[in-house]
C-alpha cells in the first residue's frame, strides 16, 4: 500500500489552457478543474494528519448496493427496461467489494432473470419484454457472477444462439435488437455472450472483425459505427471484441494507444470519454480497461511488456477515491453529480484495473488495505475465475442443437 502520490506543487502547469479562446467547453473544463483542485487541497490537509488516507468507504457502498438489489428508489422507474443491467451492475460491484449476497438471494436473482429470457432466446429488460442484446449481455454476466449450476442451466443456449443469428447482418455487424441500430456495442455483446456460453462459431462471426476495424477513426479510437467520432465506451467494445475474436492484428494498436493515453486528464487524474470532454468516473473502466488488453497484445511480441502499465494508476485511483465517492454510499461521475448504480459499477471496475494493472505483476494500491478490490477480467468485466468457470461448465455441457443459422 502507498499513500497519496500527487501533491499539487505546480497546479498551473496541469491546468487547462484555452490559449485565449474561451468556449462553453473550455469554461466547463475550467470550472470542473477548480472544484477538483479544491477537493484535492482539502484532502491533502486531511492526509497530512491521517496517513491511512485515502479510504474506500466500503461498508456504505455495500449497504446501499444491497438495498438497491432488493428495493430500487422510485427514480429508477425509467429503467424498467434495463433490469438485467441493474442486477449485473449491482452484483459486479458487490463482487469487487468482496460482499456478494447470500445463496438464497442469488437464487431469487436467477429465477427473476429466467423470467426475462424471451422465447426467441435473448433477454429482455424485464419479464415479457422484447429481447435486446445489451440486456442479454448483462443477464449472462450476472448469471456468470452467481456461478451456480442453477444459474448456468437457466440459460437456454440453443435459442440464445438463434437469437444472435437474427441480429447478425451480412457485413458481420450486429443489431442491438430486431429492427434496431447496428453499432459496435452489438458486436462486442454478441462476442462476449457467445464466448462465455460456448455458442461461438466462425460462421456466426464471419466478417465481424473486419466490420469492427472499419469503426476505428483517424484519431485512433473506435466509433459506434463507421464514420462517427471516437468514444471511450465504443473503443473498449471494439478492442475487446477483436480480442475475443483473436483478430487484434487488424487494428492500429499504436494509434489506439496514443488516443487512449491522451484521454487521461492531467489535473483530475480520471479519464474523459472523448476529445475535449469532461472527466467522468465511468470512463475509469471504459478507457482504463483498454490498457491491460493492449499490454497483452503487445506482450505477444515482447514478453516483458505483459507487466507494463500504460497509464497513471495512482492518479486514477486518487480521482476515484477522493472525488467520486458519495458519503451515503455509491459512486459518481464527478463532484456535484448524484450517485447512481451505473457509475458505481464502472468506477469501481476502473479502480480495480488501476490497482491490479495488467494482472501480471504486483498490485499497486493507494491508501489503506481496505481500499483494495477484487480483480476483473478486462474482456468481460467480471472476475477472471468466473469467466473460467462459466466457459468450462458450458464446454462440458454443449448446447443440444448445432449452429445451423
Amino acid at each position: 500500500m502507498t499513500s497519496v502520490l500527487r501533491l499539487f506543487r505546480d497546479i498551473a502547469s496541469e491546468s487547462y489552457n484555452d490559449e485565449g479562446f474561451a468556449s462553453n467547453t473550455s469554461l466547463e473544463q475550467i470550472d470542473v478543474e477548480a472544484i477538483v483542485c479544491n477537493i484535492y487541497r482539502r484532502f491533502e490537509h486531511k492526509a497530512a494528519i491521517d496517513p491511512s488516507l485515502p479510504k474506500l468507504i466500503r461498508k456504505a457502498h455495500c449497504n446501499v448496493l444491497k438495498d438497491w438489489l432488493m428495493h430500487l428508489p422510485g427514480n429508477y422507474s425509467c429503467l424498467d427496461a434495463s433490469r438485467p443491467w441493474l442486477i449485473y451492475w449491482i452484483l459486479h460491484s458487490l463482487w469487487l467489494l468482496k460482499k456478494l449476497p447470500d445463496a438464497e438471494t442469488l437464487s431469487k436473482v436467477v429465477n427473476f432473470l429466467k423470467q426475462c429470457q424471451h422465447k426467441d432466446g435473448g433477454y429482455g429488460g424485464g419479464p415479457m419484454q422484447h429481447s435486446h442484446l445489451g440486456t442479454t449481455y448483462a443477464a449472462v454476466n450476472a448469471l456468470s457472477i452467481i456461478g451456480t449450476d442453477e444459474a448456468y442451466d437457466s440459460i437456454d443456449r440453443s435459442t440464445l444462439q438463434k437469437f444472435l443469428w437474427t441480429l447478425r447482418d451480412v457485413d458481420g455487424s450486429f443489431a442491438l435488437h430486431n429492427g434496431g441500430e447496428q453499432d459496435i456495442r452489438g458486436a462486442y455483446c454478441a462476442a462476449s455472450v457467445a464466448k462465455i456460453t460456448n455458442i461461438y462459431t466462425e460462421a456466426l462471426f464471419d466478417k465481424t472483425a473486419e466490420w469492427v476495424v472499419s469503426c476505428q477513426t483517424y484519431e485512433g479510437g473506435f466509433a459506434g459505427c463507421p464514420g462517427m467520432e471516437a468514444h471511450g465506451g465504443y473503443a473498449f467494445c471494439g478492442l475487446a471484441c477483436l480480442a475475443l475474436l483473436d483478430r487484434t492484428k487488424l487494428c492500429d494498436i499504436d494509434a489506439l494507444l496514443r488516443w487512449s493515453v491522451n484521454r487521461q486528464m492531467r489535473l483530475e487524474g480520471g479519464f474523459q470519454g472523448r476529445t475535449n470532454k469532461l472527466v467522468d468516473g465511468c470512463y475509469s473502466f471504459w478507457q482504463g480497461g483498454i490498457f491491460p488488453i493492449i499490454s497483452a497484445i503487445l506482450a505477444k511480441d515482447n514478453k516483458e511488456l505483459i507487466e507494463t502499465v500504460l497509464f497513471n494508476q495512482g492518479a486514477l485511483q486518487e480521482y476515484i477515491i477522493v472525488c467520486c465517492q458519495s458519503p451515503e454510499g455509491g459512486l459518481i461521475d464527478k463532484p456535484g453529480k448524484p450517485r447512481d448504480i451505473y457509475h458505481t459499477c464502472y468506477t469501481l471496475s476502473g479502480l480495480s484495473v488501476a490497482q491490479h494493472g495488467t494482472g501480471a505483476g504486483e498490485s499497486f494500491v493507494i491508501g489503506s488495505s481496505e481500499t483494495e478490490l477484487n480483480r476483473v477480467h478486462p474482456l468481460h468485466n467480471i472476475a477472471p475465475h468466473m469467466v473460467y468457470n462459466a466457459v468450462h461448465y458450458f464446454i462440458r455441457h454443449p448446447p443440444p442443437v448445432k449452429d445451423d443459422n
Side-chain angles (χ1 to χ4, degrees):
M1 307 299 165
T2 184
S3 60
V4 65
L5 292 182
R6 287 189 310 145
L7 300 176
F8 286 84
R9 297 179 297 274
D10 186 8
I11 295 177
S13 68
E14 300 188 1
S15 298
Y16 179 78
N17 179 8
D18 66 5
E19 300 179 344
F21 293 93
S23 66
N24 290 337
T25 300
S26 67
L27 293 175
E28 288 179 353
Q29 176 62 33
I30 291 168
D31 287 344
V32 170
E33 287 187 359
I35 294 170
V36 170
C37 277
N38 286 332
I39 292 173
Y40 278 138
R41 285 195 180 102
R42 292 197 301 269
F43 172 75
E44 286 177 14
H45 290 303
K46 293 179 182 178
I49 300 170
D50 184 354
S52 68
L53 295 175
K55 293 179 180 178
L56 188 70
I57 51 174
R58 184 184 298 270
K59 185 176 180 180
H61 299 323
C62 291
N63 287 342
V64 74
L65 285 163
K66 288 182 177 180
D67 286 345
W68 282 336
L69 184 61
M70 304 307 296
H71 304 286
L72 281 173
N75 61 337
Y76 276 92
S77 61
C78 62
L79 294 178
D80 178 66
S82 300
R83 281 183 278 177
W85 276 116
L86 297 170
I87 289 171
Y88 161 55
W89 294 335
I90 292 170
L91 290 184
H92 181 52
S93 297
L94 286 169
W95 158 253
L96 289 169
L97 294 162
K98 308 175 184 179
K99 285 289 184 180
L100 271 180
D102 59 73
E104 181 180 357
T105 300
L106 294 177
S107 181
K108 291 179 179 178
V109 172
V110 172
N111 288 329
F112 174 77
L113 290 175
K114 191 172 183 178
Q115 297 176 53
C116 295
Q117 187 166 23
H118 193 275
K119 62 182 180 181
D120 67 8
Y123 286 78
M128 302 182 69
Q129 294 187 21
H130 290 298
S131 297
H132 190 284
L133 196 42
T135 47
T136 299
Y137 163 85
V140 168
N141 267 10
L143 292 166
S144 298
I145 291 170
I146 295 170
T148 59
D149 287 3
E150 178 190 28
Y152 297 145
D153 292 341
S154 71
I155 304 172
D156 185 337
R157 288 178 293 144
S158 297
T159 56
L160 176 58
Q161 187 184 67
K162 292 178 180 178
F163 171 67
L164 295 184
W165 270 110
T166 66
L167 302 179
R168 184 188 184 279
D169 203 347
V170 292
D171 62 0
S173 64
F174 283 82
L176 287 166
H177 58 89
N178 285 314
E181 73 276 26
Q182 292 157 322
D183 70 38
I184 207 164
R185 295 171 300 172
Y188 165 68
C189 289
S192 178
V193 165
K195 285 287 187 174
I196 284 185
T197 60
N198 192 33
I199 58 174
Y200 171 88
T201 68
E202 295 292 338
L204 181 57
F205 290 93
D206 180 42
K207 300 180 183 178
T208 299
E210 289 79 3
W211 184 86
V212 169
V213 170
S214 72
C215 297
Q216 189 168 19
T217 79
Y218 72 94
E219 288 187 276
F222 286 79
C225 55
M228 302 300 287
E229 182 184 10
H231 179 281
Y234 296 140
F236 170 83
C237 289
L239 182 61
C241 182
L242 291 174
L244 289 166
L245 301 177
D246 195 23
R247 302 293 298 282
T248 55
K249 289 185 177 180
L250 293 181
C251 74
D252 188 338
I253 289 294
D254 291 339
L256 175 60
L257 178 57
R258 182 175 60 252
W259 177 82
S260 300
V261 297
N262 280 290
R263 302 286 70 75
Q264 187 168 23
M265 310 299 280
R266 292 181 61 191
L267 188 146
E268 301 93 307
F271 284 93
Q272 62 183 181
R274 293 178 283 162
T275 304
N276 289 330
K277 294 296 182 179
L278 302 176
V279 68
D280 185 333
C282 71
Y283 293 111
S284 302
F285 177 76
W286 294 125
Q287 300 285 23
I290 290 172
F291 294 102
I293 304 174
I294 292 178
S295 291
I297 293 168
L298 297 178
K300 291 180 179 180
D301 297 321
N302 184 346
K303 297 299 182 184
E304 294 180 0
L305 292 177
I306 191 60
E307 296 186 15
T308 302
V309 180
L310 302 170
F311 68 101
N312 190 325
Q313 294 171 268
L316 179 58
Q317 291 182 58
E318 288 168 5
Y319 174 69
I320 293 171
I321 302 171
V322 178
C323 299
C324 293
Q325 295 193 88
S326 170
E328 295 80 23
L331 286 94
I332 63 177
D333 163 350
K334 63 177 67 64
K337 296 289 187 177
R339 66 183 183 178
D340 63 77
I341 300 172
Y342 168 84
H343 282 92
T344 299
C345 172
Y346 290 106
T347 304
L348 287 175
S349 296
L351 180 59
S352 176
V353 170
Q355 291 176 345
H356 301 295
T358 64
E362 294 184 3
S363 298
F364 174 69
V365 180
I366 297 295
S368 69
S369 59
E370 280 293 301
T371 301
E372 185 169 6
L373 301 177
N374 279 326
R375 297 175 185 264
V376 299
H377 191 301
L379 297 182
H380 300 279
N381 199 24
I382 60 175
H385 78 273
M386 292 172 176
V387 176
Y388 177 90
N389 291 344
V391 169
H392 283 267
Y393 182 89
F394 291 125
I395 288 175
R396 296 194 307 271
H397 301 81
V401 297
K402 295 182 179 180
D403 174 34
D404 57 5
N405 192 9

